[in-house]
Amino acid sequence: MSKKTPSNLIAQNKKARHYFELLEFVEAGIVLTGSEMKSIRLGAVNFRDSYVSFREGEAFLIGLHIAPYANAGYSQHDPDRDRKLLLHAKEIGRLALQIEQKGLSLVPVNMHFTRGKVKVELAVGRGKKMHDHRETLKQAAALRDAQREMSSF
């Protein structure tokens, strides 16, 4: 996963790592309207329950909520519309095949600016079971304890 500086990071899907074991990362462009772009610059993005769906050889981001922009006037956008993702046809085919065969999901991990364009980082993820959640929490607690012990020296 590429490191993003805080200045170009717009929003992060923190629950993605909680609910999924993330395996592979892909960066994609996204088709937006003007009022969506203004709202994104304000950081009014919510990833809750969003995922990627494939239809007719194209990828769409479903469930991404971009709040309406207050000063948009009469041309307000639908906050929960399906947004087309910009990926190469080979990438779409490969990801669609991978998700269909192995029972994986394609979830958005974060949204950021790259050279003035809004990009969405997607991850192929396998859903975690309840015992996996507990194991992750145990590892985080052990790591936190070890760091606390190291800092006391």
Side-chain angles (χ1 to χ4, degrees):
M1 186 170 102
S2 59
K3 293 284 183 186
K4 303 291 173 227
T5 60
S7 63
N8 65 3
L9 185 66
I10 300 166
Q12 215 169 4
N13 186 359
K14 295 179 182 177
K15 290 291 185 181
R17 293 192 187 281
H18 182 72
Y19 290 121
F20 294 96
E21 175 189 346
L22 304 179
L23 307 172
E24 178 186 342
F25 294 89
V26 177
E27 186 176 74
I30 185 168
V31 176
L32 299 168
T33 64
S35 62
E36 286 176 329
M37 190 68 185
K38 297 266 189 178
S39 190
I40 285 172
R41 287 192 186 280
L42 295 174
V45 179
N46 189 345
F47 284 105
R48 186 179 335 191
D49 298 333
S50 60
Y51 62 96
V52 176
S53 175
F54 298 99
R55 287 180 282 191
E56 300 172 11
E58 295 180 336
F60 291 90
L61 187 56
I62 313 290
L64 177 72
H65 179 84
I66 299 175
Y69 183 62
N71 299 324
Y74 65 89
S75 62
Q76 206 54 265
H77 66 270
D78 178 18
D80 296 315
R81 74 178 180 91
D82 298 349
R83 291 169 179 86
K84 185 176 175 182
L85 293 174
L86 303 173
L87 290 163
H88 290 284
K90 287 182 180 178
E91 278 184 312
I92 291 173
R94 181 181 58 81
L95 291 169
L97 189 66
Q98 191 176 12
I99 287 168
E100 188 178 298
Q101 284 183 346
K102 298 181 182 175
L104 303 172
S105 297
L106 191 59
V107 293
V109 177
N110 68 39
M111 186 179 278
H112 58 274
F113 288 110
T114 301
R115 291 179 284 166
K117 307 277 191 266
V118 174
K119 303 289 183 179
V120 179
E121 189 169 17
L122 307 170
V124 176
R126 179 181 295 120
K128 285 185 181 179
K129 304 286 188 253
M130 186 52 88
H131 59 85
D132 293 335
H133 290 295
R134 286 194 288 265
E135 187 62 34
T136 304
L137 292 173
K138 284 179 193 174
Q139 288 174 354
L143 182 64
R144 204 169 33 250
D145 292 341
Q147 288 177 343
R148 190 177 304 128
E149 289 296 322
M150 293 297 287
S151 65
S152 65
F153 288 117

